[in-house]
Amino acid sequence: MDNIRNFSIIAHIDHGKSTLADRMLEITGTIEARKMQDQVLDSMELERERGITIKMQPVRMVYHPRRLDSDLTQTDSDTGQNDFLYKDLTYKIRGACFAVRKSLGLGHKEIVYQKALEIEFKNIGLNFESQKILNVLYQDQKVGIYTPDFIIEDKIIIELKSLPEIGKPQEEQLWSYIKGSKYKLALLINFGSKDVEFKRIVYDSLRQSASSLRQSAQIQDEYILNLIDTPGHIDFSYEVSRALKAVEGSILLVDSTQGVQAQTLTTLGMARESGLTIIPVLSKIDSSLARVSEVKQEVIKLLGCKEEDIMETSGRTGKGVEALLNAIIEKVPPPTSIDLTQTHAELNSAKSASSLPLSASAFRALVFDFKYSTHRGVIVFVRVMSGEVKRNTPLVFKIAKETFTSIEVGIFSPGEVAVDKLSAGEIGYIVTGIKQPGIASVGDTVATIEDKLSPLAGYMSPRPVVWASIYPESQDDFTVLKQALGKLKLSDSSYTFEEESSGSLGRGFRCGFLGMLHLEIISERLHREFNLELVVTMPTITYEVTPKESRAQLPTGQAYKNKSYMVYSPANFPDEGTYSEIREPWANVVIITPVKYLSNLMPLLYDHEAEIGDSENFGEDRTRLTMKMPLRELMRNFFDKLKSVTSGFGSISYEIEGMRKADVVRLDILVADEILPAFSRVVSRRVVEQEAEQAVEKLHAILPRQMFVMKIQGKALGRIISSRTVSAFSKDVTQHMYGGDITRKMKLREKQKKGKKKMKERGMGKVNIPQDVFLKMMRS
């Protein structure tokens, strides 16, 4: 285990975690250069579209510090150190190529990319010669000429290609060209592949043969680096907490253009609670907006570390990433196996004949995630705490008490790769073959059947923050929706669901989520992956209601706490005057924002009922505010409003504090005199009229017109407090008439009017509300 390092990357959202992970995979050779793509570890379609990490993803890398490969020379002509030849210059060239590709895209000819690079090289201040003629020599005599695309700083040759793939012929050709020249480094750059492909070709006439050079180079041992890439959004902090339980160290990544943000504080707190070794790292140092020295001072204030302890990296160009890998090896401690010695004695002294002695190297592993495969059943992701496990080993889930035989064990590289065994300290997966839902759970212990010890300390169960009801648009899809929720639960254990029914929407499910983004992600996955058309009710939080009636008269099917019961859905919220007290959850909130936006922020905090606590300067021009706020108000589009008033520079994190007395009422939305439970919400009494006006106005703007006139109304406090009328489709029933008596046209119009009225009275004119209307109202 001495050569194993388990670590994670934690940071605020969009601080460059996935990009840094990409460069690590590239430098360690875990993924071939021709197969590299952006966001390698973000395998979900939604992750790539939104540019965020939703699910944590483990990956195993094999790394040789100061290893010798085609990219390294015996000596560096510039630095005299064992390093990349012309390292800084190469990073600048790579950055220029990435910028050109990002702007132009795929599919152009070489000449197009060449002209674009000329412009980019000028912009970043590189000296270059384009299409310079070089002589090809044989026995010191000129036998031909070679014209490379670029000569950079009179040091590096650049040859451009626009091919689906470059191979040995192109590399050997370029090698032959530089062999007789004064240049020692050539870059073969291909813009024709899915992502820009780089090949470094080094020729140093002073170096020895490959075999003697390998003997003289100091090549250290092989290290296994197990990385767990984590999400940055606050809704997925549960994913981060599980990842931190499986590692010994963590990279705290801070964007050098933005500085320390609110979620940086939250994830740092989790890492400290887990007792992890923390390596502070600045990202995006290649950006023109980087504030390296200022952000370093923020990190020093946050961690109490020295300036030299803070590393600088660029995930886009790769600068500083190799040094970071070496720092991980030096600073992150290797894993240690759990000590079972004392418990062995207890087992051996037990009188029960079934309590057999347990080997000191008995296999035990902690489940930190799992997924479901149709063919292979549940696949658990584990951190091996002691012993080893192989294929066809009888095992048991200690908490679920379910036995199974391991069909396969393997590692993440980053795809699933089968291996002979998993040993103590390693991170990998076990294929269980179990196809029943609800057996595997995060935090369970996998052990041998002979193991009689208690389960390992696992994880706290996630607490839902937001509740919403999900109904199929057609009741024929109810069974499909139930199966879909069950399958998603096998890949996302942080949401809950249970069946419920509504008089107007039929049968559906009441679901609990970790936040608004989590709700949106699950809804979108149900729509995309299972082709379901859904009705999603307005999200709400949990309220504790103390009724005026006796306990025997309380609504059935509710969860009671003393004489109170919990309300998860606005549709079940009691009417005005039927309760003595309502209680709601509050949250401790931290906001970090530039000082100049404080004047814009204060009215927003007042509007959302925040109780402002302490404030302190954070960096040169930023302030950290701590406050308490009703969770209800946080879910009332507060995140988007915060970004708006701070021009995107404000950040927020929060944690649930407890329950407080609330002054709230239920707001119902009626369409054509019918209450739509999906649009019901619980709002503060002081803003109920404003909320009703806004909801009715928004629904009026997005609801399609019908064949009859209909009203949209907001009802609260036992009365209608807002109303709008949607006009009917007006078909010209007289368009076929070119003349004649006007009374004939009037009769036709009157007949049309009566028909619409009759349609409404007989219930034939049922309002059809498309799914996108529900989604748009949910985001309001």
Side-chain angles (χ1 to χ4, degrees):
M1 292 192 292
D2 291 340
N3 283 16
I4 297 177
R5 300 292 185 272
N6 299 321
F7 69 100
S8 66
I9 304 176
I10 56 175
H12 188 79
I13 189 171
D14 199 31
H15 274 207
K17 295 182 299 299
S18 297
T19 306
L20 176 61
D22 288 346
R23 296 290 77 75
M24 287 182 172
L25 294 174
E26 185 178 32
I27 290 175
T28 57
T30 305
I31 296 180
E32 298 178 35
R34 62 188 181 88
K35 295 182 180 179
M36 277 298 300
Q37 58 180 343
D38 292 339
Q39 293 177 266
V40 172
L41 298 183
D42 293 340
S43 56
M44 198 184 302
E45 182 182 357
L46 277 172
E47 291 179 313
R48 294 185 172 279
E49 284 185 9
R50 294 170 179 256
I52 61 174
T53 301
I54 297 172
K55 285 286 295 179
M56 64 174 171
Q57 179 62 46
V59 63
R60 172 177 170 141
M61 300 175 287
V62 178
Y63 180 57
H64 301 84
R66 299 189 212 154
R67 64 180 182 176
L68 183 68
D69 56 22
S70 60
D71 286 354
L72 296 178
T73 58
Q74 183 182 5
T75 58
D76 189 309
S77 302
D78 289 345
T79 66
Q81 297 176 352
N82 193 4
D83 204 347
F84 281 113
L85 186 64
Y86 308 134
K87 184 176 180 180
D88 293 339
L89 194 56
T90 302
Y91 286 140
K92 290 183 180 180
I93 295 170
R94 286 172 61 92
C97 292
F98 284 129
V100 168
R101 175 56 180 277
K102 184 176 182 180
S103 177
L104 294 181
L106 179 66
H108 297 287
K109 295 182 178 179
E110 293 174 17
I111 188 63
V112 175
Y113 294 114
Q114 180 181 345
K115 291 181 177 179
L117 278 175
E118 289 180 0
I119 298 173
E120 188 64 26
F121 287 157
K122 290 178 182 177
N123 291 340
I124 62 177
L126 282 182
N127 294 322
F128 67 91
E129 295 177 84
S130 181
Q131 301 291 326
K132 180 181 179 179
I133 297 177
L134 302 179
N135 293 328
V136 177
L137 304 177
Y138 176 73
Q139 294 182 356
D140 296 329
Q141 296 184 31
K142 177 182 176 181
V143 294
I145 60 172
Y146 161 55
T147 308
D149 292 309
F150 291 103
I151 302 291
I152 306 296
E153 303 281 359
D154 201 32
K155 294 179 179 178
I156 302 176
I157 292 176
I158 291 182
E159 187 70 34
L160 302 180
K161 298 293 180 183
S162 185
L163 303 172
E165 183 177 340
I166 55 176
K168 284 294 182 183
Q170 289 82 15
E171 295 179 41
E172 291 175 357
Q173 183 183 41
L174 188 53
W175 176 274
S176 299
Y177 284 143
I178 68 171
K179 186 176 181 180
S181 71
K182 68 175 184 178
Y183 300 104
K184 299 177 182 178
L185 174 63
L187 297 180
L188 182 58
I189 304 173
N190 182 29
F191 284 91
S193 57
K194 187 175 181 180
D195 293 284
V196 183
E197 188 176 359
F198 294 87
K199 291 288 185 181
R200 288 173 55 90
I201 299 174
V202 182
Y203 183 83
D204 189 342
S205 59
L206 299 177
R207 65 183 174 180
Q208 304 166 3
S209 65
S211 58
S212 61
L213 184 54
R214 283 191 178 274
Q215 293 173 1
S216 62
Q218 294 180 354
I219 304 175
Q220 297 183 9
D221 293 336
E222 176 179 278
Y223 284 87
I224 296 175
L225 307 181
N226 290 311
L227 161 66
I228 301 182
D229 186 25
T230 62
H233 197 279
I234 191 170
D235 280 12
F236 306 111
S237 57
Y238 178 61
E239 294 277 329
V240 180
S241 67
R242 285 157 43 196
L244 297 183
K245 288 286 187 180
V247 298
E248 285 75 34
S250 185
I251 295 172
L252 181 67
L253 197 64
V254 180
D255 189 336
S256 61
T257 67
Q258 297 183 27
V260 173
Q261 299 293 319
Q263 190 62 14
T264 309
L265 305 179
T266 302
T267 54
L268 174 61
M270 292 181 186
R272 281 176 165 168
E273 287 178 7
S274 300
L276 303 184
T277 298
I278 298 170
I279 301 177
V281 178
L282 300 191
S283 65
K284 304 182 183 180
I285 61 170
D286 60 310
S287 172
S288 59
L289 302 176
R291 302 179 293 112
V292 175
S293 59
E294 297 174 23
V295 176
K296 275 189 175 182
Q297 294 306 311
E298 294 180 8
V299 175
I300 291 171
K301 184 177 180 180
L302 181 65
L303 295 178
C305 61
K306 299 178 181 179
E307 184 172 347
E308 54 266 27
D309 295 332
I310 305 172
M311 307 196 68
E312 302 175 16
T313 64
S314 168
R316 188 170 73 93
T317 66
K319 184 175 183 179
V321 178
E322 190 173 13
L324 175 58
L325 291 171
N326 291 328
I328 291 169
I329 293 173
E330 294 173 5
K331 297 180 180 180
V332 176
T336 56
S337 179
I338 59 175
D339 185 9
L340 302 177
T341 306
Q342 294 180 353
T343 47
H344 296 161
E346 295 175 4
L347 284 176
N348 293 333
S349 62
K351 295 181 180 180
S352 172
S354 61
S355 299
L356 299 176
L358 187 66
S359 169
S361 60
F363 170 72
R364 304 194 107 206
L366 183 65
V367 178
F368 65 86
D369 203 358
F370 59 88
K371 71 174 188 177
Y372 182 79
S373 169
T374 304
H375 302 291
R376 303 196 294 174
V378 174
I379 303 172
V380 291
F381 298 178
V382 297
R383 158 67 191 273
V384 181
M385 308 305 291
S386 65
E388 63 180 34
V389 63
K390 299 181 179 180
R391 182 181 177 184
N392 296 327
T393 301
L395 300 171
V396 63
F397 286 116
K398 298 293 291 183
I399 296 177
K401 302 187 185 305
E402 181 78 12
T403 59
F404 64 93
T405 299
S406 57
I407 298 176
E408 178 181 296
V409 299
I411 59 173
F412 306 97
S413 188
E416 295 169 5
V417 178
V419 295
D420 293 334
K421 64 179 180 179
L422 288 176
S423 302
E426 293 187 309
I427 292 175
Y429 68 88
I430 302 174
V431 179
T432 67
I434 298 174
K435 297 191 176 181
Q436 302 95 319
I439 300 297
S441 62
V442 171
D444 205 341
T445 300
V446 179
T448 56
I449 295 179
E450 297 81 12
D451 189 337
K452 305 300 180 182
L453 302 180
S454 301
L456 297 166
Y459 310 95
M460 292 180 61
S461 298
R463 286 199 310 170
V465 172
V466 176
W467 295 84
S469 295
I470 298 179
Y471 298 89
E473 196 172 83
S474 170
Q475 283 295 298
D476 294 338
D477 292 333
F478 174 79
T479 303
V480 179
L481 174 59
K482 184 176 182 178
Q483 294 173 347
L485 287 170
K487 289 181 179 178
L488 282 188
K489 182 72 174 175
L490 289 170
S491 62
D492 185 353
S493 60
S494 57
Y495 80 93
T496 62
F497 68 95
E498 60 182 62
E499 189 175 337
E500 69 173 6
S501 61
S502 166
S504 57
L505 296 176
R507 299 170 68 193
F509 296 89
R510 184 179 65 205
C511 304
F513 306 93
L514 300 182
M516 294 294 290
L517 178 62
H518 192 204
L519 164 58
E520 193 173 338
I521 291 296
I522 293 296
S523 302
E524 189 66 22
R525 289 187 67 185
L526 288 170
H527 176 64
R528 291 191 184 196
E529 299 176 21
F530 301 96
N531 198 29
L532 285 167
E533 299 298 327
L534 305 171
V535 175
V536 182
T537 65
M538 296 298 297
T540 186
I541 61 173
T542 303
Y543 294 92
E544 183 182 326
V545 179
T546 303
K548 290 182 177 179
E549 292 83 4
S550 65
R551 180 166 182 169
Q553 295 173 314
L554 292 179
T556 59
Q558 300 286 2
Y560 294 102
K561 182 180 180 182
N562 297 329
K563 292 184 179 181
S564 303
Y565 64 94
M566 306 304 292
V567 173
Y568 299 89
S569 171
N572 296 330
F573 197 84
D575 295 328
E576 187 75 7
T578 63
Y579 53 85
S580 61
E581 186 180 70
I582 302 287
R583 293 171 63 81
E584 65 178 348
W586 275 57
N588 293 319
V589 181
V590 174
I591 293 177
I592 296 179
T593 179
V595 176
K596 64 180 180 180
Y597 295 112
L598 283 177
S599 58
N600 299 337
L601 181 59
M602 289 305 168
L604 177 65
L605 297 179
Y606 172 78
D607 180 52
H608 286 266
E609 306 177 27
E611 296 179 357
I612 300 177
D614 298 331
S615 65
E616 65 172 312
N617 292 333
F618 200 80
E620 294 185 1
D621 63 343
R622 294 198 298 161
T623 297
R624 177 167 63 185
L625 297 174
T626 59
M627 64 198 71
K628 299 180 186 296
M629 184 184 297
L631 185 60
R632 155 181 51 85
E633 292 297 317
L634 273 177
M635 299 301 123
R636 191 165 65 92
N637 208 25
F638 182 80
F639 299 99
D640 291 340
K641 292 177 182 178
L642 173 65
K643 289 296 183 182
S644 177
V645 300
T646 61
S647 300
F649 290 103
S651 62
I652 182 174
S653 67
Y654 68 89
E655 59 181 13
I656 306 302
E657 176 196 29
M659 303 290 284
R660 288 197 195 181
K661 186 176 180 179
D663 188 14
V664 293
V665 297
R666 187 182 75 221
L667 170 62
D668 291 323
I669 304 298
L670 291 76
V671 177
D673 299 323
E674 180 184 356
I675 295 178
L676 295 181
F679 295 150
S680 296
R681 65 179 78 177
V682 178
V683 299
S684 175
R685 187 185 300 271
R686 70 182 183 89
V687 296
V688 63
E689 293 186 6
Q690 176 186 346
E691 289 285 320
E693 288 288 348
Q694 291 177 353
V696 168
E697 188 67 32
K698 180 161 188 175
L699 186 57
H700 177 268
I702 63 179
L703 187 65
R705 294 162 64 189
Q706 308 293 316
M707 293 300 295
F708 56 89
V709 177
M710 61 180 176
K711 284 186 177 181
I712 302 176
Q713 299 169 306
K715 180 181 179 181
L717 304 173
R719 59 188 175 88
I720 301 296
I721 56 179
S722 63
S723 179
R724 290 294 302 271
T725 299
V726 180
S727 60
F729 282 120
S730 181
K731 180 180 179 181
D732 188 359
V733 294
T734 65
Q735 61 181 347
H736 64 285
M737 301 175 65
Y738 293 96
D741 191 352
I742 187 62
T743 57
R744 292 183 61 201
K745 294 184 178 181
M746 292 176 63
K747 286 180 181 180
L748 287 174
R749 289 173 181 149
E750 189 65 27
K751 183 178 179 181
Q752 181 191 44
K753 185 177 180 180
K754 290 181 179 179
K756 291 181 177 181
K757 184 178 180 181
K758 186 184 296 184
M759 179 188 296
K760 183 177 179 181
E761 290 175 349
R762 293 182 178 180
M764 298 169 60
K766 184 178 180 181
V767 180
N768 179 32
I769 303 180
Q771 184 200 13
D772 65 320
V773 172
F774 290 96
L775 293 175
K776 289 176 182 177
M777 286 295 290
M778 183 186 75
R779 299 185 186 117
S780 64

